[in-house]
Amino acid sequence: MSELDLLYTDVENDLRRTVRDALRDRVTPSAVIAMYDGDRTVVEPLWKTIAQDLGLAGLLVPEAEGGLGASAREVATVCEELGRVVAPVPFLTSAVVATVAVIGSGHSVVADLATGGTTAALAVPFTTAPHGALPHLSATGGTVTGAVPNVAGALEADVLLVPVDESDGLAIYAVPVAGARINPVVSLDMSRQLADVVLEAAPGTRVRGDGEGSLRAALRTGAAMLASEQVGIASWCLATTVEYLRERRQFGRPVGSFQALKHRLADLYVSVESGTAAARYAAATLAVGDSDAEVATAVAASYCGNVAVTAAEEALQLHGGIGMTWEHPVHLYLKRAKTDQLAFGQPGEHRSRLAELVDLPVGSGEADGGSADGGPVAAPPGREIS
Amino acid sequence: MSPSTDDAVARLAEQVATFLANHDPMTTDRIEFLRARFDAGLAWVHFPVGRGGLGLPRELQPMVDAMFEEAGAPDNHPRVNVIGLGMAAPTLLAYGTEEQLDTYLRPLWTGEQIWCQLFSEPNAGSDLAAVATRAVRDGEDWVVDGQKVWTSSAQNAHLAILLARTDPSLPKHAGLTYFICDMTDPGIEVRPLRQITGEAEFNEVFLTGVRIPDSNRIGAVGEGWKVANATLNNERIAIGGGPVPRESGMVGVAAAAWRSNPARRRPDLHDRLMQLWVESEAARLTGQRLRQKLMAGQPGPEGSAMKLTFARLAQQLSGLELEVLGAEGLRYDDWTLRRPVEVDFLGRGPGYRYLRAKGNSIEGGTSEILRNIVAERVLGLPPEPRVDREIPFKELAK
Ligand SMILES: Cc1cc2nc3c(=O)[nH]c(=O)nc-3n(C[C@H](O)[C@H](O)[C@H](O)COP(=O)(O)OP(=O)(O)OC[C@H]3O[C@@H](n4cnc5c(N)ncnc54)[C@H](O)[C@@H]3O)c2cc1C
């Protein structure tokens, strides 16, 4: 049995450097902070750089469909770098989640996405777990009707990819945003601002029938890649805090020489390392289509979601008063980390799914009927939102 | 892998196959087999030629081990000689003389000689540089007097690595020297030290007029701290070997308890089980990642981080196992004073596992000390203020 490589390849490291250089020049904390006051001017040029100039929008798209045919490993590396600067670009929502949902459909939207000329968003709530309830909208006569709250990436999108209920299952329709109502939501994380989407007989075209598998694969890839973004967030928080504590002096010593703080940072380092390993493994399994990908994703999603939040919370606390200020960027990371923890399924939802996958059933073997203490149960595929 | 390592892999595989063809594991005497394997350089392939190795990259070792295992070859009881294989061997390789390597490496590897570690003392645990056991030069020998404590396997050991003070007029880190000590010397008395599990896995060791020839000194006089650090770095890295399967170790035990006790499944326990399962899996992958990083290089301080994680998980999972078992967890398997040759977590009962796991965050450096190491050597945070750095050892408050 050969084990998957959990380190970064030379190609991935080159890619990381390229992305990092591009971001260094173009995204600053103050530009991201401005988004909380409604100034979104940083988004478009930055996204153009990432998607078109660097060509990263087509990373996951096979060459035959107009993309670069790279794998989840490279995408994960990009997500780490984007997380490290809380980049306000729809890479995850468009180039990863929306793209995976339509790859192989034969529809022209795939090639448009691959060039970065078109940006798409999957019309499902950002909180949807890969195994969770999906929205079901309805279509008649080439128009789609329904509403989906808390959609990530909709504000940047040209096209919405919408799950539509058809007699033989869930289809995916492409709906140009011109025909949709997209109501921005005042979001906890304004660097990935959400929107409520309302479609009233919006013109759309059918991209694929039998779309449930693709939708779930898209969400699973989203959850796995989000774990790498979370690793990027956590790494920044750790490195920045270590840096600060080495400089900051109180009681005649650098505060980083106080053991209570050193031990907290040592523990955080251990978690970030574990998170990196878990996220790398998830990316590696997706990259080669390994049968362990679903377990790997559930592990990474449930582990890394908490690591990023802990890292951001520790960073804030250990920066003292400065950490509470609007000027210091740590709040951007906290808001992104907390939001990410709720996205694509919370850690607990992933653990519930994992319990099924690895045969560790919840609850007692005796049917006690008491759902009150029946523990977390995976949400049945339902029709919650219409 | 690059084409050149592909070549190396093929050549090495052929070497192992030829060796196995010439030494049938079924008919060859166990020790003869192991000696021949050492002589063929197939013990530690990354060790030098003539020293049990072939000077090849460390990453080729798992393949060799797997081939021998598949052929049903005898192993060298790696769990009995943990200190010899994990600590004495790399220390010898780094600081030993040619003569010491000639004498000690082969019987160490074959398991003919078991090693123990005479480091800790009643007043020198975490603060290992505070050892007071004296070694005084007498002609070609050193004469050693003192007391060691918590020495695992001393009752079975033939040899020991020993840290002793050779110059108390120097500051504590400077006056130490490192020796190989013969455990059969008449001046050595080993007394079992019973521990919370009921058994006596470790001992007190009293050294009275123990004579150690100067040829058994490792490293220069006064350089013992440097040599000991090489040993400790290896101690903390003990994650070698090949891939570890999912659910191995304590998480597998806890998962098995869960699967076989449907009536005791409660949501609160399930929540903790799944959290620890995820953390164990992340730790397993972290170990894999670290191993991949270290294959070519030397163990770094990152190994301390792994030890921290494994100690915590072993403790939390063994505690959870008892809770899942409920009433059954109230029973203990055996309180008799035994002197085991190896720690047998999986062979003993859940109560034993719970109690013994408490030692995981103490033995080989406490979790507090390991956090200091991670913070200072990995993260580069400033050291604690040191009050004893410049003071001669004999003037320190004891
Ligand atoms: C099962 C087992 C097997 C062992 N086998 C061996 C062996 O084979 N050979 C051998 O030589 N030794 C062995 N030991 C000894 C072991 O290495 C020591 O027990 C250990 O290093 C701790 O030292 P101590 O017991 O003196 O604790 P102390 O050093 O007295 O520590 C007491 C407490 O203070 C904390 N502490 C100490 N210094 C600091 C600091 N600077 N910052 C923060 N906290 C601190 C410790 O973490 C601990 O919680 C073994 C121990 C165990 C439990």
Side-chain angles (χ1 to χ4, degrees):
Chain A
M1 190 200 80
S2 71
E3 44 174 46
L4 296 174
D5 180 10
L6 304 184
L7 306 182
Y8 299 96
T9 63
D10 292 344
V11 173
E12 287 160 32
N13 279 328
D14 287 347
L15 178 61
R16 175 197 301 291
R17 254 187 306 275
T18 306
V19 175
R20 194 175 281 193
D21 289 347
L23 292 170
R24 185 181 304 115
D25 297 346
R26 290 177 187 79
V27 56
T28 60
S30 60
V32 182
I33 290 172
M35 298 183 75
Y36 286 82
D37 296 323
D39 176 2
R40 292 175 49 87
T41 50
V42 65
V43 178
E44 216 178 282
L46 185 63
W47 177 228
K48 188 181 163 297
T49 302
I50 301 281
Q52 297 180 21
D53 303 348
L54 300 182
L56 301 181
L59 270 182
L60 273 181
V61 179
E63 285 174 35
E65 293 180 75
L68 294 178
S71 80
R73 293 182 62 106
E74 291 83 33
V75 172
T77 311
V78 173
C79 288
E80 263 184 48
E81 290 309 308
L82 296 176
R84 218 183 292 276
V85 297
V86 208
V89 288
F91 179 79
L92 184 67
T93 50
S94 181
V96 178
V97 176
T99 299
V100 170
V102 294
I103 281 177
S105 65
H107 193 279
S108 61
V109 72
V110 181
D112 295 343
L113 281 168
T115 62
T118 292
T119 300
L122 198 60
V124 301
F126 196 32
T127 46
T128 311
H131 56 284
L134 295 168
H136 291 232
L137 288 83
S138 58
T140 42
T143 68
V144 181
T145 297
V148 186
N150 298 318
V151 176
L155 289 177
E156 295 87 1
D158 307 307
V159 175
L160 298 169
L161 298 173
V162 185
V164 167
D165 210 9
E166 293 192 336
S167 56
D168 52 350
L170 267 188
I172 300 178
Y173 276 61
V175 175
V177 292
R181 259 199 294 132
I182 295 177
N183 303 320
V185 170
V186 180
S187 308
L188 177 63
D189 172 19
M190 289 296 276
S191 71
R192 189 182 273 139
Q193 190 176 358
L194 306 178
D196 293 335
V197 170
V198 181
L199 305 179
E200 284 159 348
T205 58
R206 195 162 177 276
V207 177
R208 72 187 336 154
D210 196 12
E212 175 152 354
S214 324
L215 285 167
R216 298 208 180 278
L219 292 169
R220 196 172 322 119
T221 310
M225 297 300 101
L226 187 70
S228 284
E229 174 174 308
Q230 288 161 333
V231 165
I233 294 170
S235 306
W236 182 90
C237 291
L238 174 64
T240 303
T241 308
V242 165
E243 204 63 16
Y244 181 69
L245 296 193
R246 280 158 57 153
E247 301 303 323
R248 174 74 174 169
R249 297 176 74 89
Q250 296 286 319
F251 302 96
R253 288 161 65 177
V255 290
S257 71
F258 290 104
Q259 196 182 59
L261 306 194
K262 285 158 80 165
H263 283 195
R264 282 165 69 166
L265 288 175
D267 287 339
L268 189 56
Y269 165 81
V270 170
S271 315
V272 174
E273 284 296 294
S274 293
T276 308
R280 283 270 88 193
Y281 181 62
T285 55
L286 284 177
V288 298
D290 192 286
S291 59
D292 204 31
E294 200 176 352
V295 169
T297 298
V299 167
S302 69
Y303 194 88
C304 298
N306 293 342
V307 167
V309 171
T310 305
E313 290 178 349
E314 286 290 84
L316 195 157
Q317 173 65 23
L318 298 181
H319 275 80
I322 286 176
M324 274 308 276
T325 64
W326 195 253
E327 283 73 26
H328 195 283
V330 71
H331 69 92
L332 301 176
Y333 291 82
L334 181 64
K335 292 161 188 171
R336 174 65 74 87
K338 195 66 197 175
T339 297
D340 279 1
Q341 190 191 40
L342 314 185
F344 299 132
Q346 297 183 16
E349 294 176 80
H350 286 283
R351 286 198 296 272
S352 300
R353 174 71 186 134
L354 188 60
E356 297 168 10
L357 293 172
V358 300
D359 182 31
L360 287 168
V362 65
S364 148
E366 306 144 11
D368 57 8
S371 64
D373 62 349
V377 179
R383 315 184 156 226
E384 309 236 294
I385 299 145
S386 57
Chain B
M1 279 193 212
S2 67
S4 62
T5 48
D6 277 348
D7 270 7
V9 168
R11 247 180 295 125
L12 185 58
E14 200 180 305
Q15 252 170 297
V16 177
T18 310
F19 180 89
L20 286 166
N22 294 333
H23 302 80
D24 183 347
M26 300 306 136
T27 55
T28 315
D29 171 72
R30 182 189 136 74
I31 292 297
E32 288 311 317
F33 184 95
L34 291 169
R35 286 180 183 159
R37 180 174 163 186
F38 181 93
D39 294 340
L42 298 171
W44 298 283
V45 296
H46 59 288
F47 272 39
V49 175
R51 302 282 175 234
L54 297 167
L56 293 174
R58 193 189 282 245
E59 63 202 84
L60 297 174
Q61 184 70 32
M63 178 192 85
V64 172
D65 291 340
M67 285 183 75
F68 275 99
E69 200 182 319
E70 229 165 85
D75 71 18
N76 55 356
H77 296 327
R79 284 164 29 124
V80 174
N81 199 15
V82 174
I83 288 174
L85 292 163
M87 290 160 234
T91 308
L92 279 166
L93 192 65
Y95 291 101
T97 62
E98 292 299 307
E99 195 195 336
Q100 287 166 348
L101 293 168
D102 280 344
T103 311
Y104 293 113
L105 233 33
R106 190 165 87 160
L108 184 161
W109 188 78
T110 61
E112 289 162 273
Q113 289 181 340
I114 305 295
W115 290 64
C116 68
Q117 181 176 20
L118 294 174
F119 278 16
S120 302
E121 297 181 9
N123 290 317
S126 301
D127 188 7
L128 183 57
V131 297
T133 290
R134 285 294 311 272
V136 177
R137 188 76 192 238
D138 180 25
E140 279 306 291
D141 290 348
W142 295 83
V143 179
V144 182
D145 290 278
Q147 184 198 341
K148 297 287 175 176
V149 73
W150 306 305
T151 314
S152 306
S153 293
Q155 73 273 25
N156 309 307
H158 308 91
L159 294 161
I161 43 179
L162 166 75
L163 193 60
R165 186 159 305 278
T166 42
D167 190 348
S169 70
L170 295 176
K172 65 179 186 177
H173 292 90
L176 298 168
T177 304
Y178 199 107
F179 298 97
I180 299 168
C181 174
D182 181 348
M183 291 296 285
T184 64
D185 187 282
I188 288 190
E189 188 198 343
V190 175
R191 290 188 203 153
L193 199 51
R194 199 173 190 184
Q195 60 202 71
I196 55 172
T197 54
E199 64 185 10
E201 180 196 318
F202 52 36
N203 306 269
E204 293 179 292
V205 178
F206 297 85
L207 302 102
T208 315
V210 174
R211 296 196 81 84
I212 298 180
D214 188 55
S215 57
N216 270 9
R217 172 170 47 77
I218 305 187
V221 175
E223 300 252 288
W225 184 246
K226 192 172 84 184
V227 183
N229 263 305
T231 308
L232 296 176
N233 284 340
N234 281 292
E235 177 168 49
R236 284 158 193 155
I237 199 70
I239 58 154
V244 182
R246 177 174 290 159
E247 277 198 15
S248 42
M250 273 309 305
V251 67
V253 174
W258 184 264
R259 292 190 185 107
S260 52
N261 287 281
R264 302 225 178 79
R265 291 179 194 154
R266 292 201 319 267
D268 60 320
L269 295 178
H270 191 253
D271 217 43
R272 276 167 55 209
L273 174 68
M274 290 316 298
Q275 297 229 21
L276 292 170
W277 198 98
V278 166
E279 289 173 29
S280 301
E281 176 66 3
R284 185 181 76 84
L285 294 167
T286 311
Q288 180 173 321
R289 194 158 181 271
L290 185 60
R291 227 175 18 248
Q292 291 174 350
K293 258 196 220 172
L294 293 179
M295 280 309 187
Q298 287 299 307
E302 295 87 355
S304 299
M306 282 317 308
K307 181 175 180 287
L308 272 174
T309 304
F310 282 124
R312 181 178 59 81
L313 288 173
Q315 292 173 353
Q316 293 181 353
L317 285 159
S318 60
L320 179 66
E321 186 194 6
L322 285 180
E323 292 168 67
V324 171
L325 294 176
E328 203 187 309
L330 296 174
R331 296 160 180 262
Y332 197 73
D333 60 355
D334 185 5
W335 286 117
T336 40
L337 170 60
R338 299 197 284 180
R339 304 186 79 185
V341 286
E342 60 177 291
V343 183
D344 187 9
F345 265 104
L346 303 182
R348 292 282 308 262
Y352 173 88
R353 283 192 275 280
Y354 173 70
L355 296 173
R356 180 58 184 84
K358 296 292 170 249
N360 293 163
S361 54
I362 299 171
E363 61 194 335
T366 67
S367 289
E368 289 73 25
I369 295 298
L370 297 187
R371 286 192 183 93
N372 287 349
I373 289 174
V374 169
E376 292 176 14
R377 296 194 212 158
V378 181
L379 298 177
L381 286 163
E384 298 283 304
R386 300 293 284 260
V387 295
D388 57 2
R389 261 243 177 266
E390 309 299 331
I391 305 170
F393 179 75
K394 60 185 178 195
E395 287 167 27
L396 290 174
K398 303 272 163 26

